[in-house]
Amino acid sequence: MPMIELESVSKRYATGIQALNDVTLSVEDGEFVFVVGPTGTGKSTLLRLLYAEELPTSGVVRVHGRPVDARHDHDVSALRRSLGVVFQDFKLLPDRTVFDNVAFALRVIGSPPEWIPAQVRQALEQVGLADCERALPRQLSGGQQQKVSIARAIVNRPRIVLADEPTGNLDPDTSWDIMKVLSRINLHGTTLIVTTHNKTIVDVLRRRVVELAGGQIVRDERRGRYASDLN
Amino acid sequence: MGPPQTRRRWHATAVSLAFAAREGATSFCRNGLMSVAAVLMIFVTLLAFGAAILVLQNLHRVAAAAEEQVLAVAYLRDGLNTRQRTNLANRLRGVDGVATVRFVSRAEALRRLEQSLGGRVNVRDVVRANPLPDSMEIHPERPGDLPAIAEAARAVAGVADVVAGEEITGRIDAAARFVRLAGGVAAAVLALVAIIVILNTLRLTIVARRTDIEIMRLVGATASFVRRPFFVEGMIQGGVAAMAAVVSLGAAYWLFVTRATAAWPFLRLVPAAEAMPVVAIALVVVGLAVGALGTAISVARFLRTR
Ligand SMILES: Nc1ncnc2c1ncn2[C@@H]1O[C@H](COP(=O)(O)OP(=O)(O)OP(=O)(O)O)[C@@H](O)[C@H]1O
Ligand SMILES: [Mg+2]
């Protein structure tokens, strides 16, 4: 059973913009997928449909084999607890320590308090930030902040991690650092979908590449490059 | 202890309530300046609202005291026996708009007269026999009905004459009505202003925290879980402001009553101990309710998914 499935999915925003147009895609358990394409082609929209931030205008989105259903609040919450999401701008809480930022994700879903410290430390270890747990975000570099947000995304041990341009704000070396962290998470069996404009990383890692153009999938290669071989 | 399922659910509820309380309280402290600004804003608004209630209470007392004076006195013919008097009283009670009818014997009337003369004059020393007739005091349900009641009372057999002071009554009635209406409208408007100001203040504090809300939703917190800490925080803000408003208003009003009555003893102000409980209840209820509801409404805007 595929981890993620889109069946003839279209998304038209209220403004009239057709962000996705008849997209069909299937991602297996444990896959690592890059979503690439020019700006404004619907990459972020695709991810937003997966965590039910937006709903498709038509078509069906399935995650873990279940159709994404945003009619009930508890369905949305349950879906999001099974996903980790990472953004270009980190979205950390500036007035909380690294530890509290990660723990926040567990506290707000009502995890038993006695489990939280161990789980937070394990997540911080996985991203290589074990000794920064008392720092505030502003005391960290951009790369470290992104690692905190990755730790927060994985602390509840989701089967799927979605990353929307996770290296968009980072220099090349730091970008590689982040990609290594994400690859390691994928090696442990987590399904990973990453949107990116970083050609070097995509070309070196040679993972599955899905290219969008004008809201449609124009290329889907098992071990692809950033740009198609024809160019 | 119940089945493990129930116990686990209770445990989860306890955890989430503890989170809401702790998170609400710490974020109240963490956003120090914002919280202080919000509390001050709510405080000032509640102060105005509370002051309006105090003014209203005093106006109400003045109006009630004036209305007390509104009555008709029916003087009875001499020589009525007890049964005839009872009949007469019942006839008067049957008149439309009459609230109470009370018999005042000529002896009581004399006693009152002497009292109103300050107890310095003994009327019996001047005239040997009591010159006053028996009478009935008639209180109307509404002051405005008095002329009609007096008219009807004059027609009752056994009544010699009716004195009603119709003219002054009409003016007191109109003034009392106006005072009540104006006071009520003013208090309602101020309550509305208070609610709007508090809602807006709370909205600002929540706008400042939309990242928190966004992240909570993103990691799968339920809407009610997101709402609860803000609920607590809003209640703290509203409650603290209300408490401060009650204390300062109470002190100020007490001081005012003490000073004013010392200077002008004829002023019949409502004493602080009598007036403040109503104010305290009104302010605390408005503070807490609007604090809690206001945050709920504002948070709801950020919880909406498309
Ligand atoms: N919330 C929204 N409301 C209306 N239109 C939107 C919204 N979000 C995105 N769009 C539009 O939908 C189209 C696709 O946007 P999307 O953000 O998915 O592109 P993208 O591929 O992620 O672009 P980029 O590479 O710049 O991040 C764009 O034209 C964008 O302007
Ligand atoms: Mg994007």
Side-chain angles (χ1 to χ4, degrees):
Chain A
M1 182 187 69
M3 215 44 171
I4 290 170
E5 266 183 301
L6 283 82
E7 255 179 52
S8 306
V9 168
S10 296
K11 173 66 188 179
R12 188 188 182 89
Y13 283 109
T15 53
I17 290 172
Q18 187 81 28
L20 290 177
N21 192 356
D22 196 20
V23 168
T24 295
L25 176 70
S26 166
V27 177
E28 296 298 323
D29 192 4
E31 265 194 287
F32 185 151
V33 184
F34 280 121
V35 179
V36 301
T39 184
T41 48
K43 302 184 292 296
S44 299
T45 302
L46 177 66
L47 296 195
R48 275 186 224 130
L49 293 176
L50 295 178
Y51 62 89
E53 177 67 24
E54 298 285 352
L55 300 177
T57 316
S58 64
V60 184
V61 178
R62 278 192 210 92
V63 176
H64 303 299
R66 269 192 304 277
V68 171
D69 183 354
R71 271 171 309 179
H72 298 293
D73 175 60
H74 57 90
D75 289 333
V76 175
S77 301
L79 169 72
R80 291 184 182 171
R81 287 172 199 209
S82 70
L83 299 169
V85 192
V86 176
F87 295 95
Q88 179 173 358
D89 59 359
F90 323 138
K91 295 196 197 295
L92 299 178
L93 296 170
D95 46 11
R96 286 173 211 244
T97 63
V98 165
F99 182 94
D100 283 334
N101 261 283
V102 178
F104 190 70
L106 293 177
R107 291 191 184 125
V108 302
I109 61 173
S111 289
E114 60 272 19
W115 295 358
I116 292 177
Q119 251 177 290
V120 170
R121 299 218 164 86
Q122 198 186 350
L124 285 173
E125 243 159 62
Q126 269 182 275
V127 300
L129 275 186
D131 42 0
C132 295
E133 65 174 56
R134 319 203 60 158
L136 288 171
R138 73 178 116 84
Q139 297 164 331
L140 302 178
S141 71
Q144 286 173 316
Q145 291 187 43
Q146 188 59 294
K147 287 180 186 173
V148 176
S149 96
I150 294 172
R152 182 180 63 198
I154 62 171
V155 71
N156 196 30
R157 299 173 189 163
R159 304 274 303 279
I160 300 170
V161 168
L162 310 173
D164 197 0
E165 295 191 44
T167 62
N169 280 346
L170 305 174
D171 64 68
D173 284 350
T174 314
S175 297
W176 269 112
D177 212 17
I178 294 299
M179 272 305 162
K180 271 185 233 154
V181 169
L182 288 174
S183 299
R184 202 158 55 229
I185 290 166
N186 170 248
L187 278 181
H188 284 105
T190 306
T191 307
L192 188 61
I193 300 189
V194 181
T195 75
T196 186
H197 290 288
N198 193 318
K199 179 178 191 307
T200 321
I201 286 175
V202 176
D203 285 348
V204 171
L205 287 181
R206 298 300 298 262
R207 300 303 183 126
R208 180 173 172 191
V209 173
V210 171
E211 183 179 341
L212 287 176
Q216 288 184 305
I217 295 183
V218 293
R219 178 164 63 101
D220 185 352
E221 290 176 342
R222 193 122 297 275
R223 289 172 60 76
R225 293 178 191 275
Y226 185 75
S228 87
D229 292 333
L230 301 174
N231 302 351
Chain B
M1 281 286 348
Q5 181 99 34
T6 318
R7 226 157 58 213
R8 210 160 35 238
R9 185 150 346 113
W10 272 111
H11 184 67
T13 309
V15 166
S16 106
L17 288 182
F19 174 86
R22 197 177 52 238
E23 197 67 10
T26 53
S27 86
F28 176 79
C29 299
R30 194 183 295 122
N31 306 302
L33 208 57
M34 198 65 168
S35 301
V36 169
V39 168
L40 269 181
M41 197 74 197
I42 299 170
F43 168 74
V44 170
T45 322
L46 289 179
L47 220 50
F49 177 47
I53 298 178
L54 285 175
V55 171
L56 190 62
Q57 280 179 298
N58 278 292
L59 290 178
H60 194 82
R61 162 164 291 202
V62 170
E67 277 175 359
E68 273 297 297
Q69 312 293 319
V70 171
L71 82 168
V73 179
Y75 295 104
L76 309 187
R77 288 186 202 291
D78 283 338
L80 296 181
N81 62 32
T82 315
R83 221 198 60 219
Q84 286 170 317
R85 239 170 31 214
T86 313
N87 275 343
L88 191 148
N90 286 338
R91 296 268 308 273
L92 290 176
R93 282 193 189 97
V95 172
D96 270 353
V98 169
T100 59
V101 171
R102 191 172 158 278
F103 174 67
V104 179
S105 70
R106 43 198 308 220
E108 189 183 343
L110 184 68
R111 217 168 29 251
R112 284 192 195 173
L113 179 62
E114 284 172 348
Q115 228 165 43
S116 77
L117 294 174
R120 282 180 300 255
V121 184
N122 194 337
V123 178
R124 294 294 183 94
D125 292 345
V126 185
V127 281
R128 205 154 264 293
N130 180 354
L132 301 173
D134 288 338
S135 62
M136 296 281 178
E137 282 183 3
I138 309 168
H139 283 269
E141 304 232 1
R142 281 180 306 276
D145 295 343
L146 200 64
I149 291 172
E151 196 59 43
R154 276 190 195 103
V156 173
V159 172
D161 191 15
V162 177
V163 175
E166 278 101 337
E167 196 186 326
I168 183 91
T169 300
R171 265 184 276 152
I172 287 176
D173 181 40
R177 263 191 222 200
F178 175 75
V179 158
R180 290 217 171 97
L181 188 71
V185 169
V189 167
L190 267 163
L192 200 66
V193 169
I195 289 169
I196 290 171
V197 169
I198 296 173
L199 287 185
N200 258 307
T201 309
L202 290 171
R203 189 161 75 222
L204 287 183
T205 70
I206 286 167
V207 167
R209 306 261 306 283
R210 58 174 180 276
T211 320
D212 293 44
I213 299 177
E214 188 191 356
I215 293 168
M216 287 194 206
R217 289 301 281 158
L218 204 59
V219 298
T222 57
S224 60
F225 204 99
V226 174
R227 220 176 282 126
R228 240 175 269 140
F230 288 99
F231 217 67
V232 172
E233 195 180 345
M235 297 229 298
I236 295 177
Q237 287 174 338
V240 167
M243 236 92 89
V246 168
V247 168
S248 28
L249 209 56
Y253 184 66
W254 179 82
L255 209 65
F256 169 72
V257 171
T258 314
R259 291 276 169 83
T261 4
W264 304 291
F266 56 85
L267 273 187
R268 303 293 291 267
L269 294 167
V270 183
E274 201 178 302
M276 283 313 289
V278 177
V279 175
I281 291 171
L283 295 198
V284 170
V285 165
V286 168
L288 288 183
V290 179
L293 281 182
T295 46
I297 293 168
S298 307
V299 172
R301 274 189 37 229
F302 290 103
L303 287 177
R304 233 172 267 147
T305 38
R306 282 152 295 271

